[in-house]
């Protein structure tokens, strides 16, 4: 499988193909788990599932705290949240039969079966007959705040992000959910997106999973800021922040509290509470299925509404940053300081980096200091590239680089794009050679 770790657009395109049961995904021949080498498919599936489940408690392991092992009570999530009078409140709108019929007719029949064993082709063929009943079930879940348990059961595909194929940390779990569950999620997602847009709730710094935003527009914004700074003979210090298992470590209590704080009503919050509660997953690849385990943390990757919930979870992560410009594409984060002198730019970056790490701790997110990189942009002949050190709160020194692949584009410290052109040329040479050999 092509390594898409450096290009989120390519990665999520791959995710969407996996939702359709793409057969290109297969288990590695062997993996290493707890210092043991596993080669049996059943053992590999079980190891993957246990690893993905345990990834949710990465923050607790790093900080030395023990996880609760269960979702907190509904009422305790909102005890400290009070909305001011006049603030907009989100509540679900009644789903119409026309909406459901259109969604059923638009089903991709190539999608694989979910845990409910309902064939997408059958659902599409029977759409005019079952649309009324499905609509009633959907509206019942919204009014009662209860989702059928089978709709919260996922078959998970391990997506290789690159690197050593035997290392479990180099895989990301992609959930394949029942078709009807995804249709319901899609309708809920559309209603919530409309509320967020109408009330300008999503941060302007977040470009991920938003209409009229893309990796291209995000990259152009960052490059334009840095280029203007260099043209004005200023200096720019940038930090490319990497988070460990960001989607997997989302704390449900914090997420529900955030939903309430932005105006999601009690009934709607109760539905989201049940959406997160009692979720299960099992690895199912190459005809082999692991045991099902309960998912106690995170939002499902591969779901419709999961990315939006994650965006809301980190929506205010850069609010306290004082000097730096701050941009997000999902969990891909860049912050950069522009100043007349190199020392000032670096000092401002270091100060805001501490503030950002404090925000991460509050959200129980883990900084991946080993994959976080710092780069100094300047066209000055007097370079300070090797004279400064930035460290994380735990004392890890952040690696200094002269080039970094940001959202699929190679940026170098002179902003010359020589590295990007060179890498692009290598790809074109490989693809042209492949076409030539197979013409």
């Amino acid at each position: 499988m092509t390594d898409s770790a450096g290009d989120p657009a390519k990665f999520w395109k791959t995710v969407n193909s996996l939702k359709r049961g793409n057969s290109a995904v297969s288990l590695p021949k062997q993996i290493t788990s707890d210092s043991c080498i596993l080669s049996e498919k059943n053992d590999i599936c079980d190891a993957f599932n246990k690893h993905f489940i345990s990834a949710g408690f990465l923050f607790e392991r790093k900080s030395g705290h023990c996880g609760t092992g269960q979702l907190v009570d509904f009422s305790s999530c909102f005890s400290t949240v009070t909305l001011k009078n006049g603030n907009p409140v989100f509540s679900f709108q009644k789903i119409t039969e026309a909406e459901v019929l259109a969604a059923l007719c638009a089903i991709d029949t190539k999608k694989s079966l979910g845990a409910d064993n309902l064939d997408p082709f059958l659902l599409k063929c029977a759409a005019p007959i079952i649309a009324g009943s499905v609509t009633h079930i959907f509206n019942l879940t919204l009014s009662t705040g209860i989702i059928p348990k089978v709709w919260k059961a996922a078959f998970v595909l391990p997506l290789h992000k690159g690197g050593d194929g035997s290392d479990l940390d180099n895989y990301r779990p992609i959930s394949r959910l029942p078709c009807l569950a995804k249709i319901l999620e899609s309708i809920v997602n559309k209603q919530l997106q409309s509320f967020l847009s109408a009330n300008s709730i999503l941060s302007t710094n977040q470009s991920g999973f938003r209409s009229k935003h893309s990796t291209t527009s995000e990259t152009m914004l960052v490059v334009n800021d840095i280029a203007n700074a260099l043209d004005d003979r200023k200096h720019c210090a940038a930090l490319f922040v990497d988070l460990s298992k960001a989607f997997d470590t989302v704390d449900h209590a914090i997420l529900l509290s955030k939903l309430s704080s932005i105006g999601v009503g009690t009934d709607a919050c109760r539905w989201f509470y049940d959406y997160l509660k009692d979720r299960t997953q099992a690895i199912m690849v190459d005809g082999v299925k692991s045991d099902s385990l309960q998912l106690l943390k995170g939002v499902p990757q591969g779901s419709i509404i999961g990315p939006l919930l994650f965006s809301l979870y980190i929506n205010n992560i850069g609010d306290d940053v004082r000097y730096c410009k701050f941009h997000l594409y999902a969990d891909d984060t860049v912050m950069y300081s522009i100043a007349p002198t190199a020392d000032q730019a670096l000092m401002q970056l270091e100060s805001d980096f501490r503030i950002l790490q404090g925000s991460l701790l509050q959200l129980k997110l883990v900084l991946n200091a080993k994959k976080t990189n710092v780069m100094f942009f300047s066209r000055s002949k007097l370079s300070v590239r090797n004279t400064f050190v930035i460290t994380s709160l735990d004392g890890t020194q952040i690696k200094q680089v002269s080039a970094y692949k940001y959202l699929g584009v190679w940026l170098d410290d002179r902003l010359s794009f020589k590295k990007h052109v060179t890498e692009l040329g290598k790809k074109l040479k490989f693809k042209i050679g492949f076409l030539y050999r197979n013409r």
Side-chain angles (χ1 to χ4, degrees):
M1 173 174 263
T2 302
D3 177 13
S4 56
D7 188 348
K10 185 185 293 184
F11 172 78
W12 288 105
K13 183 177 180 180
T14 304
V15 170
N16 288 331
S17 73
L18 296 184
K19 295 176 190 176
R20 295 189 289 272
N22 194 319
S23 59
V25 178
S26 60
L27 291 173
K29 292 183 179 179
Q30 65 178 32
I31 60 167
T32 303
S33 177
D34 296 329
S35 302
C36 297
I37 298 176
L38 305 178
S39 56
E40 292 292 331
K41 288 188 175 182
N42 287 323
D43 294 336
I44 292 175
C45 282
D46 287 335
F48 265 121
N49 205 23
K50 291 176 182 178
H51 176 74
F52 290 148
I53 293 293
S54 66
F57 293 95
L58 180 62
F59 175 83
E60 284 78 6
R61 292 199 300 272
K62 290 281 187 179
S63 60
H65 296 97
C66 297
T68 61
Q70 60 184 358
L71 187 64
V72 296
D73 292 336
F74 175 78
S75 59
S76 66
C77 300
F78 316 105
S79 57
T80 59
V81 177
T82 304
L83 290 176
K84 297 179 180 179
N85 292 334
N87 279 17
V89 175
F90 171 79
S91 58
F92 290 123
Q93 303 298 313
K94 189 173 183 180
I95 299 173
T96 66
E97 186 173 334
E99 285 181 277
V100 175
L101 179 59
L104 288 170
C105 291
I107 288 177
D108 184 354
T109 55
K110 294 180 181 179
K111 289 182 181 292
S112 300
L113 293 176
D116 59 359
N117 287 320
L118 291 178
D119 191 290
F121 180 76
L122 175 63
L123 292 173
K124 186 170 185 176
C125 290
I129 301 172
I130 66 174
S133 299
V134 173
T135 303
H136 174 70
I137 295 172
F138 283 178
N139 283 317
L140 203 58
T141 70
L142 299 184
S143 62
T144 61
I146 299 174
I147 303 172
K149 284 190 176 182
V150 70
W151 287 1
K152 296 188 287 184
F155 291 148
V156 174
L157 300 171
L159 174 60
H160 187 212
K161 299 184 294 182
D164 184 1
S166 64
D167 188 349
L168 293 173
D169 286 328
N170 291 328
Y171 290 82
R172 182 174 293 188
I174 303 302
S175 299
R176 194 171 73 228
L177 299 167
C179 195
L180 290 180
K182 298 191 73 171
I183 292 177
L184 175 60
E185 280 193 41
S186 179
I187 295 173
V188 169
N189 186 68
K190 185 177 180 181
Q191 291 189 15
L192 185 56
Q193 283 273 20
S194 179
F195 170 77
L196 298 174
S197 298
N199 296 283
S200 302
I201 291 173
L202 279 177
S203 171
T204 56
N205 296 326
Q206 175 64 267
S207 295
F209 315 111
R210 300 179 66 180
S211 61
K212 300 181 181 179
H213 291 73
S214 66
T215 54
T216 302
S217 61
E218 171 74 2
T219 305
M220 288 180 63
L221 178 63
V222 173
V223 169
N224 186 64
D225 284 343
I226 298 174
N228 287 338
L230 299 187
D231 289 342
D232 292 339
R233 296 188 177 183
K234 293 183 178 179
H235 304 270
C236 176
L239 195 70
F240 300 94
V241 180
D242 187 85
L243 302 179
S244 296
K245 312 294 182 184
F247 278 70
D248 301 323
T249 54
V250 168
D251 184 89
H252 293 165
I254 296 175
L255 174 58
L256 290 167
S257 180
K258 280 186 168 289
L259 289 174
S260 180
S261 69
I262 64 171
V264 177
T266 302
D267 290 340
C269 278
R270 193 176 297 278
W271 185 90
F272 283 110
Y273 171 83
D274 195 73
Y275 172 83
L276 297 168
K277 181 184 178 184
D278 296 330
R279 301 197 72 88
T280 60
Q281 68 175 42
I283 305 296
M284 188 172 180
V285 186
D286 294 345
V288 181
K289 180 177 177 293
S290 71
D291 294 332
S292 293
L293 297 176
Q294 190 173 11
L295 192 66
L296 301 170
K297 295 273 190 175
V299 292
Q301 297 185 65
S303 64
I304 301 295
I305 204 168
L308 180 59
L309 292 177
F310 179 78
S311 294
L312 290 172
Y313 189 75
I314 62 171
N315 193 44
N316 305 111
I317 199 173
D319 286 0
D320 294 330
V321 168
R322 294 178 292 179
Y323 306 110
C324 293
K325 292 191 176 183
F326 189 88
H327 297 290
L328 295 157
Y329 191 93
D331 60 330
D332 285 278
T333 306
V334 60
M335 56 191 299
Y336 48 97
S337 170
I338 296 171
T341 67
D343 289 340
Q344 184 180 353
L346 294 168
M347 181 182 64
Q348 291 177 169
L349 179 66
E350 188 172 21
S351 174
D352 280 347
F353 183 39
R354 291 196 191 98
I355 294 173
L356 174 66
Q357 291 178 86
S359 299
L360 293 177
L361 289 174
Q362 291 178 0
L363 293 176
K364 298 184 179 182
L365 295 175
V366 179
L367 173 76
N368 189 346
K370 292 183 179 179
K371 291 187 178 180
T372 295
N373 294 292
V374 62
M375 182 156 55
F376 183 78
F377 294 89
S378 177
R379 289 178 181 155
S380 172
K381 293 182 179 180
L382 297 175
S383 175
V384 296
R385 290 176 181 79
N386 299 316
T387 61
F388 69 95
V389 174
I390 291 182
T391 59
S392 62
L393 292 179
D394 65 2
T396 303
Q397 184 174 330
I398 303 303
K399 183 181 178 181
Q400 301 172 37
V401 294
S402 59
Y404 183 82
K405 192 176 185 181
Y406 177 65
L407 302 184
V409 177
W410 280 99
L411 304 179
D412 60 83
D413 54 11
R414 298 286 182 182
L415 218 60
S416 66
F417 294 101
K418 289 182 180 179
K419 173 74 171 178
H420 184 73
V421 172
T422 300
E423 294 298 322
L424 188 60
K426 290 179 181 178
K427 286 186 177 181
L428 288 174
K429 183 179 180 181
F430 174 79
K431 291 183 179 180
I432 290 173
F434 178 81
L435 291 173
Y436 177 80
R437 291 190 298 270
N438 292 276
R439 64 181 179 176

